[in-house]
C-alpha cells in the first residue's frame, strides 16, 4: 500500500462513512437537470483538506494533482483529474447554504467516539474562544494592499530588479484602484515563468488572487459585515467572532455555536448542554469560568440535576429589568456592555449604610457615544450628563453555590478547566482558527465546523490507537 497505515487521511477515510454528507446536502442538488455535479462527498473532503493543511483553493487543487494521500482520501485514481478551484467557492456558497454544518459534523464525531467507546465521561467543560476578522479592523483596500506587499517582498528575495517593471502604486484611497494595481502587479510577475513556479511565490500569488476575488464578490463590502467588537480585557478588544464550546473530559468537542464577537458567554450554557445531550452525551457536571455562574444558569443546572463548577462573580446577576436586560456582563473586561456594544468606562461601589438594601455597583458609560447612538431612544435621556447602569449585589441568592465552591470537590473539579484552554490553543495555533479565512458569519460557521470536525477526528483516532 502506497499510503502508510498510520497516515491521518487514510485512518479518517477508513473510520468515517462520509455518505452522511450526501444525505444532508441532497436538497441543494438537482438530480435530473444539467450535467452531473462533482459528488458532494468529494467536495466536502476537499473542504476538509483545505482546513487540515491551511491551503488556498488554488494551492489545494494543485496539491491534489500530485499528492497520492489526497487522491486516496478523495477516492480518485492517480491519473484522475481534479476540480477547478472555483468549484470550491460555489460548493461553499450554494451547496452548504441553509445547513447547520456545525451540528451535523459535531454530532457525527461524537457518535463515532461513543461507538468506539472512547467517550465515557459525564462531565463537559465550557468556554468561548475568539477568532479575529479576516480584515481585522482594516478596510478591504488595506487588506488587499497588505497581501500585495507580502507578494512583492517574496519576489524581491529572488529577483529584486523586477521592481522596475512593477506598476506605480495607487495614490488614492479607492478600493478599485488598489485592485487594478494588484492585478497589474500579478500580470508582471506571472510573465516571469521562472518565478511563478517557485512554491514560495506561487502560494502568495494564489493567496492574493483569492483575496481579490473574495473582495470583489462582496458587493456591499464594508470590512467584515458580520464581525463585531468583543473584549478579552478592559483594555484589549478584538473585531471578529466567538465560538462557544462544550468539551468532554476526553477532549472531544460535544457542542459548538459560532456567533459574532460581542455575544455573552453566559447565555450559551443551556444550549451547549442541550446539544451535547442530543448528540448522545450524558451530562452530570459542567465546568466553566465565572461567565457561567449567572442566576439563570444556576437555576437551570439545579433543575436538570447538573453540578455546576463555576465560581460566582458578585455582579453576575442582572436582577429584574426590562429594556436593560440586554446589557451583558463581560467577565474579561470586568465591565458591562450596552446593547450597542459599548463598554462601560468606569464603575463605582455604592454601599447603602444604615439600610437593609444590598450594596450596588454603578457602571458609567461614555455619554458622548450615547448622544449619537442609534439605540438611544428609551435608553438615553436627551440632555443627561451621565449614563449609568446599576447592579445590586445579591449574594444571598447564591449562598448554596458560594458554599459549594469552597469544598474540596469543587476545587478538584475546577482544576480540569485547563483542558479546554489547551483545546482553544490547538484550534488557533494548529488549525488556523485564530483568524477567519473569509468574511461573514456564514463563512465563519463553515470554517468552525470543518476545523472542529478535523480536531475531533484527530483526537478520536489517537484515543482508538491508544486502546
Amino acid at each position: 500500500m502506497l499510503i502508510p497505515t498510520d497516515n491521518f487521511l487514510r485512518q479518517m477515510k477508513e473510520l468515517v462513512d462520509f455518505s452522511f454528507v450526501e444525505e444532508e446536502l441532497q436538497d441543494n442538488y438537482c438530480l435530473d437537470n444539467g450535467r452531473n455535479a462533482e459528488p458532494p462527498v468529494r467536495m466536502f473532503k476537499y473542504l476538509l483538506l483545505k482546513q487540515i493543511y491551511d491551503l488556498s483553493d488554488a494551492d489545494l487543487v494543485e496539491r491534489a494533482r500530485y499528492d497520492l494521500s489526497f487522491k486516496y482520501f478523495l477516492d480518485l485514481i492517480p491519473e484522475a483529474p481534479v476540480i477547478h478551484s472555483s468549484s470550491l467557492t460555489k460548493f461553499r456558497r450554494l451547496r452548504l447554504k441553509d445547513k447547520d454544518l456545525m451540528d451535523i459534523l459535531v454530532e457525527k464525531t461524537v457518535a463515532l467516539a461513543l461507538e468506539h467507546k472512547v467517550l465515557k465521561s459525564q462531565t463537559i467543560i465550557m468556554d468561548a474562544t475568539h477568532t479575529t476578522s479576516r480584515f481585522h479592523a482594516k478596510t478591504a483596500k488595506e487588506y488587499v494592499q497588505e497581501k500585495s506587499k507580502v507578494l512583492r517582498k517574496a519576489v524581491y528575495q529572488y529577483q529584486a530588479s523586477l521592481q522596475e517593471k512593477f506598476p506605480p502604486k495607487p495614490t488614492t484611497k479607492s478600493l478599485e484602484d488598489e485592485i487594478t494595481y494588484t492585478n497589474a502587479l500579478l500580470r508582471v510577475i506571472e510573465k516571469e515563468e521562472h518565478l511563478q513556479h517557485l512554491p514560495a511565490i506561487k502560494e502568495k500569488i494564489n493567496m492574493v488572487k483569492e483575496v481579490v476575488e473574495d473582495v470583489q464578490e462582496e458587493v456591499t463590502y464594508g470590512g467584515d459585515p458580520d464581525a463585531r467588537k468583543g473584549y478579552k480585557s478592559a483594555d484589549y478588544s478584538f473585531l471578529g467572532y466567538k465560538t462557544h464550546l462544550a468539551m468532554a473530559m476526553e477532549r472531544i468537542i460535544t457542542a459548538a455555536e459560532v456567533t459574532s464577537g460581542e455575544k455573552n458567554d453566559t447565555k450559551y450554557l443551556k444550549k451547549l448542554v442541550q446539544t451535547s445531550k442530543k448528540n448522545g452525551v450524558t451530562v452530570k457536571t459542567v465546568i466553566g469560568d465565572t461567565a457561567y455562574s449567572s442566576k439563570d444558569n444556576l437555576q437551570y443546572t439545579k433543575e436538570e440535576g447538573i453540578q455546576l463548577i463555576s465560581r460566582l462573580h458578585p455582579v453576575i446577576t442582572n436582577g429584574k429589568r426590562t429594556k436593560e436586560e440586554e446589557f451583558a456582563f463581560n467577565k474579561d473586561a470586568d465591565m458591562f456592555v450596552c446593547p450597542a456594544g459599548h463598554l462601560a468606562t468606569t464603575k463605582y461601589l455604592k454601599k447603602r449604610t444604615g439600610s437593609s438594601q444590598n450594596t450596588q455597583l454603578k457602571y458609567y458609560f461614555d455619554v458622548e457615544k450615547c448622544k449619537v447612538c442609534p439605540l438611544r431612544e428609551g435608553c438615553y435621556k436627551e440632555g443627561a450628563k451621565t449614563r449609568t447602569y446599576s447592579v445590586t449585589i445579591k449574594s444571598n441568592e447564591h449562598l448554596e453555590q458560594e458554599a459549594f465552591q469552597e469544598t474540596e470537590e469543587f476545587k478538584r473539579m475546577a482544576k480540569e478547566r485547563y483542558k479546554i484552554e489547551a483545546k482553544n490553543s490547538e484550534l488557533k495555533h494548529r488549525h488556523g482558527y485564530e483568524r477567519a479565512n473569509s468574511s461573514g458569519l456564514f463563512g465563519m460557521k463553515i470554517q468552525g465546523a470543518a476545523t472542529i470536525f478535523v480536531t475531533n477526528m484527530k483526537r478520536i483516532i489517537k484515543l482508538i490507537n491508544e486502546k
Side-chain angles (χ1 to χ4, degrees), residues 29-30 39 91 133 149 216 260 275 314 383 455:
Y29 281 85
C30 181
F91 177 72
S133 166
K149 181 179 180 180
Q216 286 178 319
S260 49
T275 303
T455 305

Side-chain angles (χ1 to χ4, degrees), residues 148-162:
S148 64
K149 181 179 180 180
V150 171
L151 174 59
R152 290 197 307 272
K153 284 187 174 181
V155 170
Y156 295 156
Q157 291 179 355
Y158 293 92
Q159 189 175 333
S161 60
L162 196 61

